[in-house]
Amino acid sequence: MNIQALKQETDQLFPQIVQWRRHLHRHPELSFQETATTAYIEAQLKDLPGVELSRPTKTGLVVRIKGGHPGRRVAFRADIDALPITECNDLEFVSDTPGVMHACGHDGHTAMQMALVTLASRHREELWGELVCIFQHAEELPPGGAAELYEAGVMEGVDELYGCHLSSNFPTGTFGVRAGALTAATDRFDIKVLGKGGHSSMPELCVDPIVTGAEIITGLQTVIARNIRALDPAVLTVCQVSAGDAYNIIPQEMTITGSVRTFSEQVRREIPVLAERIARGVCAANGADCAFSYEYGYATVVNDEALTRGVEEGLAGWFGPESILHIEPVMPGEDFSALQKDCPACFVEIGTRDAAKGTDKPHHNPAYRMDEEGLRFGAGLLASILAARLGGK
Ligand code: NI
């Protein structure tokens, strides 16, 4: 493939990308409910030559393009869902649905991947192998759409997987790249201390769940500080505590809820064992009963070393080496991890921060805005990977 020509073509698609993105932005849909979004993507892409569309899940869709030559199977994933937020922006394409907003940039991910499908369709005869573009529903709501698509078999025979996220943490024109663990695994725990309520003046007749719960909260601080290797980053935070209705009644129970973030799968499996041991042990010591539950959320996204080097080379050639930022891991979870179980993968952050344009607000904020110029760079990223991995020599 001729890189200069492909670059020009990608640039020419930019107005179309913006148009797609604005349509999606105006009509956001919540996780697992992306019916109109799926229909829109389908309608826009179905008549392109050489594309095969399928809908393995209720919402979301998969587009396949077979190249003119045999070769590897390369998958890309874009998420398509919006968030339960009322948009607080003055834009001509502001959300038309109160309480729902594309506040994470998934509208941009979808539009960029639609451009990738368009480019691949035009150049299908020159491709070596097969392109699989996954338009994934429900990234924002665990258990997430990725796990469902994986179960439906969309990753079968895929040799490598790519994904990206627009980010107001990085300036427009830059890419956040990292080999190894990129996002934290995000898990949740719930502890219920079951005591025995009664009159505050006669604690000897009760089992006070608040005193027991307080001991558990203090004990939980040792889970990471005293048990996890200092070189393995992990955070355990108690975020919700509830007990009691009156100033003079010892309540029956207390609940303690919190979150755990880790980067290593081994540490991730150790933490619930340690936390449960403390909760049960403290309850037993105080004569209370204990209910402990632990919910695994999204696993860590891990970037393959070789694929990441390949992406960097492509970006350096396309946008110059100064466009690449070598970043630290990022804390938000990503269910992209559910698709990368059987093949190497690479996930890249695309900068959209421009303070002068007011696009420096955090994601998931009602006033979040995207610097659409970042979509030009993101589309270039996808096209550069297409050329490098399916474009032949
Ligand atoms: Ni997101």
Side-chain angles (χ1 to χ4, degrees), residues 211-242:
V211 172
T212 307
E215 257 183 68
I216 292 173
I217 293 168
T218 308
L220 288 174
Q221 307 312 312
T222 67
V223 167
I224 287 159
R226 302 291 82 187
N227 294 281
I228 302 298
R229 204 170 70 114
L231 294 172
D232 289 324
V235 179
L236 180 155
T237 303
V238 172
C239 297
Q240 276 177 296
V241 170
S242 97

Side-chain angles (χ1 to χ4, degrees), residues 173-185:
T174 66
F175 299 90
V177 180
R178 176 182 176 81
L182 178 69
T183 66

Side-chain angles (χ1 to χ4, degrees), residues 126-351:
E126 299 158 61
L127 299 181
W128 292 73
E130 184 182 353
L131 173 72
V132 181
C133 284
I134 302 166
F135 291 91
Q136 183 212 304
H137 60 300
E139 189 279 329
E140 299 284 5
L141 187 65
E148 215 180 24
L149 283 159
Y150 180 85
E151 285 306 315
V154 302
M155 294 304 292
E156 272 163 33
V158 171
D159 295 299
E160 48 197 72
L161 169 70
Y162 296 90
C164 60
H165 207 299
L166 296 161
S167 172
S168 62
N169 289 330
F170 308 110
T172 303
T174 66
F175 299 90
V177 180
R178 176 182 176 81
L182 178 69
T183 66
T186 53
D187 304 327
R188 164 194 178 134
F189 62 86
D190 289 275
I191 299 168
K192 200 173 264 187
V193 180
L194 304 154
K196 192 173 152 204
H199 202 286
S200 63
S201 65
M202 288 176 283
E204 72 280 11
L205 299 178
C206 307
V207 175
D208 186 342
I210 293 181
V211 172
T212 307
E215 257 183 68
I216 292 173
I217 293 168
T218 308
L220 288 174
Q221 307 312 312
T222 67
V223 167
I224 287 159
R226 302 291 82 187
N227 294 281
I228 302 298
R229 204 170 70 114
L231 294 172
D232 289 324
V235 179
L236 180 155
T237 303
V238 172
C239 297
Q240 276 177 296
V241 170
S242 97
D245 296 305
Y247 91 99
N248 58 353
I249 300 170
I250 293 174
Q252 285 281 107
E253 59 179 57
M254 171 162 163
T255 58
I256 301 164
T257 300
S259 73
V260 174
R261 305 223 160 196
T262 51
F263 288 96
S264 132
E265 192 59 26
Q266 193 197 329
V267 170
R268 189 183 188 207
R269 299 283 153 180
E270 279 173 39
I271 287 175
V273 177
L274 295 162
E276 182 168 10
R277 195 169 74 194
I278 287 168
R280 291 202 187 283
V282 171
C283 281
N286 287 284
D289 284 326
C290 179
F292 182 91
S293 70
Y294 200 89
E295 207 178 287
Y296 286 101
Y298 297 158
T300 302
V301 170
V302 181
N303 282 339
D304 178 77
E305 188 89 39
L307 291 199
T308 307
R309 295 288 158 261
V311 166
E312 279 185 34
E313 266 171 44
L315 286 176
W318 197 284
F319 294 110
E322 66 283 359
S323 68
I324 299 169
L325 305 175
H326 290 107
I327 59 169
E328 296 283 292
V330 295
M331 285 321 263
E334 241 302 340
D335 78 340
F336 179 80
S337 49
L339 295 170
Q340 68 166 142
K341 290 180 194 164
D342 312 322
C343 69
C346 182
F347 193 88
V348 179
E349 303 279 321
I350 301 163

